[in-house]
Amino acid sequence: MINTTLKLGVNVDHVATLRQARGTDYPSVVEAALACEAAGAHGITIHLREDRRHIQDADVYAVRKQIATRLNLEMANHPEIVGIALDVLPEEVCLVPEKREELTTEGGLDVAGNIDALLEPVRRMKEADIMVSMFIDPDPEQIRATATLGAPCIELHTGTFCDLPPENRGPELERLVKGAGLAHELGIQVNAGHGLTIGNVSGIFDVPFMDTLNIGHSIVSHAVMVGMSAAVQAMLDAMAPYAGGKV
Ligand code: PXP
């Protein structure tokens, strides 16, 4: 599947994780975001968690102010965070489930089971011209619920796919392929992310209609070894075959 518009959103949360580990004022999340952009990233993703374990409120405002590409703010449907999103006005918000004990976002959001709670915040964010995306498992019920909600975008959770041994990934890949097809039919933009690395990203090249991959932990980890610029460029190179040679 050739997609000439595939884009990379780099999630820089774990630059903040390193900073918060020591309570220092370095490394700078803004500097990392600017290095990602300079290396060709199409957008910057940050997750303002209720527990503020990595990204802090000030980071959201600073990144918003400094970057030249798109800001994708990942967040739970929590009134305080919705208020910050409406103040910061990122180009995109991705609604995710959040549990305090989890190491990272574990499953997709249950859109179908939470339509009533989601209607008002989604309406307010759409009114503010924010593109609202739902981070969901490739489940037809969740994709249809996203359409019912009037949200224009999904981010397909690739974590399950990535966690499986390569020889057992077939059925999950099939779910991602079908999910992307259904979303496209319903007029919904398809993004994907979680657990993607240079080593496994080609595994999802059969998933059609992908607009953006949001990738964080593996890029920041690679950057520790080779620098942010080289790490972002290496991921762009790894994604290029999906887009016919260049992203
Ligand atoms: N997309 C969403 C919705 C996420 O919650 C995360 C993790 O913050 C990512 C993408 C990036 O995942 P990873 O850090 O595994 O690349």
Side-chain angles (χ1 to χ4, degrees):
M1 168 67 56
I2 301 288
N3 172 345
T4 51
T5 66
L6 186 65
K7 301 179 201 79
L8 171 63
V10 181
N11 178 318
V12 292
D13 290 350
H14 295 302
V15 175
T17 301
L18 199 54
R19 181 193 62 197
Q20 296 307 112
R22 275 294 184 88
T24 47
D25 60 3
Y26 63 85
S28 158
V29 172
V30 167
E31 200 180 326
L34 295 179
C36 293
E37 286 189 322
H42 305 87
I44 301 298
T45 295
I46 46 181
H47 184 174
L48 184 66
R49 295 184 66 104
E50 267 183 83
D51 64 12
R52 308 297 201 273
R53 68 172 68 161
H54 39 53
I55 294 293
Q56 306 296 303
D57 299 33
D59 294 320
V60 181
Y61 286 89
V63 170
R64 160 73 302 175
K65 201 166 156 206
Q66 303 268 352
I67 66 169
T69 58
R70 291 169 66 81
L71 175 61
N72 172 29
L73 182 65
E74 289 175 6
M75 52 180 267
N77 179 23
H78 183 275
E80 184 205 6
I81 312 282
V82 172
I84 292 172
L86 289 168
D87 191 39
V88 169
L89 297 176
E91 278 76 16
E92 183 176 341
V93 148
C94 182
L95 289 176
V96 302
E98 222 176 77
K99 290 191 225 111
R100 275 187 186 258
E101 329 72 68
E102 69 192 355
L103 275 181
T104 179
T105 318
E106 277 165 0
L109 185 68
D110 179 11
V111 181
N114 289 286
I115 291 256
D116 288 347
L118 289 164
L119 271 171
E120 178 65 7
V122 168
R123 185 191 61 74
R124 288 174 71 201
M125 291 195 279
K126 280 177 71 178
E127 250 176 38
D129 253 346
I130 299 171
M131 185 175 84
V132 185
S133 175
M134 301 286 144
F135 182 57
I136 55 173
D137 293 317
D139 172 350
E141 189 193 2
Q142 300 300 340
I143 296 166
R144 290 206 175 87
T146 300
T148 304
L149 195 59
C153 184
I154 55 169
E155 180 169 323
L156 289 173
H157 191 330
T158 49
T160 305
F161 172 88
C162 294
D163 286 345
L164 287 164
E167 63 278 15
N168 295 341
R169 286 177 179 159
E172 186 61 15
L173 180 61
E174 193 53 31
R175 287 199 335 132
L176 289 162
V177 169
K178 287 200 172 130
L182 174 61
H184 183 74
E185 253 172 55
L186 294 169
I188 294 173
Q189 177 177 316
V190 182
N191 297 342
H194 213 282
L196 295 171
T197 67
I198 285 177
N200 67 22
V201 73
S202 65
I204 60 161
F205 285 177
D206 285 340
V207 182
F209 310 121
M210 282 195 297
D211 185 277
T212 300
L213 300 183
N214 288 311
I215 307 179
H217 188 264
S218 70
I219 293 178
V220 173
S221 302
H222 193 195
V224 170
M225 301 298 167
V226 300
M228 188 59 93
S229 178
V232 170
Q233 280 164 18
M235 182 56 78
L236 289 167
D237 288 347
M239 287 164 52
Y242 185 85
K246 188 174 182 327
V247 291

